[in-house]
Structures are given as C-alpha cells and as structure tokens.
Amino acid sequence: MIGRSLVFGGWFSGNGKGGSSGANFITVTVICILLLAADFWVVKNITGRLLVGLRWWNKVEGDKTSWIFESAPDRQVNKFDSSVFWTVLYVTPAIWFGLMIIGILKVNLGWLIVVFTALSLSTANVYGYYKCSSDQKAKFQQMVQQ
C-alpha cells in the first residue's frame, strides 16, 4: 500500500481498475488539504492561545501588511501543556519533511502536493509562535529592567 501512496492514501484510493483511482486520489487530496487547513486554524487560533497564551496573525491594510504577535499578560502556563504544545509544534514539520523525502525518493510526486501543503502550514505555525515567544521574552526582559 505504501508503494501506491505516501503513507495511508492507498487505503482510500481505488484498486487501479478503470478511472476511479484518479477520482479517489483527488478526493483524498482535497480532504487532506481541508483537514490540514482546519488543523492550521485550530493550532493558530485556539490551541496556542489556550495552552501557552500566545497568538499571532497577519494584518493586511491596502498595500501594507504587518505581522502581529501577542502574548497574554500575567498568564500562568501549565508546564506540561506548554511542553506538549512546543514538542508537537516542532516535531510536526520534521515529520512532514521526512515524508517529503520519502515521497521524493519513491518518485511519488502526486502525494507531494499534500506534503508540501502540510509542510508550509506547519512551518508557518512554528514561525509565528517562535516570533510570539521571542517577542514575549523581549517584553519580559524589558519589564524586568524597568
């Protein structure tokens, strides 16, 4: 099954007879991308705010774009929740990178659409939360110096 798909897509794609496998590939790809988008949104807008008190977004006004990074003031963060959040946040792009290498080595270019989408979304979350965290550390150091 891994030969026909990157990892588990072969479970859902057709048996290769007729034209159904192409339609199933498209269906699986669209479902995966929708689930990746939902995961990105939940991690960005809910999980980070609730578990570590951080939030980020991009604000576009005409031709001007700005990144906004926020940290909740005086938020007590649970150490276990924080460590789980940061571990999963950093491990996810590494896993997708490994799947990208597997897809390239197996010359399975069709599934790389999903992998590149997942890698870009998870990397965007890592970048956003890293900036939030460094922004939070800078604000904390400034507060301590005052």
Side-chain angles (χ1 to χ4, degrees):
M1 286 186 199
I2 294 177
R4 283 194 336 197
S5 67
L6 189 53
V7 176
F8 299 113
W11 289 358
F12 304 105
S13 60
N15 57 7
K17 297 178 183 174
S20 66
S21 74
N24 285 340
F25 171 77
I26 292 170
T27 303
V28 170
T29 301
V30 168
I31 289 171
C32 286
I33 289 174
L34 289 174
L35 289 173
L36 287 167
D39 174 65
F40 173 78
W41 185 86
V42 167
V43 170
K44 182 180 156 312
N45 294 312
I46 297 172
T47 309
R49 185 172 46 87
L50 294 177
L51 293 181
V52 292
L54 300 174
R55 190 170 71 156
W56 65 273
W57 69 91
N58 185 2
K59 187 176 181 181
V60 178
E61 295 175 352
D63 292 341
K64 184 181 174 187
T65 184
S66 60
W67 289 86
I68 300 166
F69 305 102
E70 286 186 351
S71 57
D74 303 327
R75 169 128 167 99
Q76 296 297 325
V77 177
N78 184 330
K79 293 286 184 192
F80 178 75
D81 291 345
S82 177
S83 64
V84 167
F85 175 81
W86 289 108
T87 301
V88 171
L89 189 72
Y90 286 121
V91 167
T92 302
I95 291 172
W96 285 113
F97 183 77
L99 291 174
M100 180 186 70
I101 298 299
I102 291 170
I104 290 171
L105 291 176
K106 289 186 166 267
V107 192
N108 201 343
L109 303 178
W111 290 106
L112 288 177
I113 296 167
V114 173
V115 173
F116 285 138
T117 303
L119 190 58
S120 64
L121 291 175
S122 60
T123 304
N125 263 335
V126 167
Y127 175 76
Y129 282 114
Y130 175 77
K131 291 293 282 186
C132 283
S133 177
S134 61
D135 186 47
Q136 177 188 23
K137 289 176 186 173
K139 287 181 183 177
F140 180 74
Q141 289 174 351
Q142 184 181 19
M143 183 181 72
V144 167
Q145 288 176 354
Q146 290 178 354

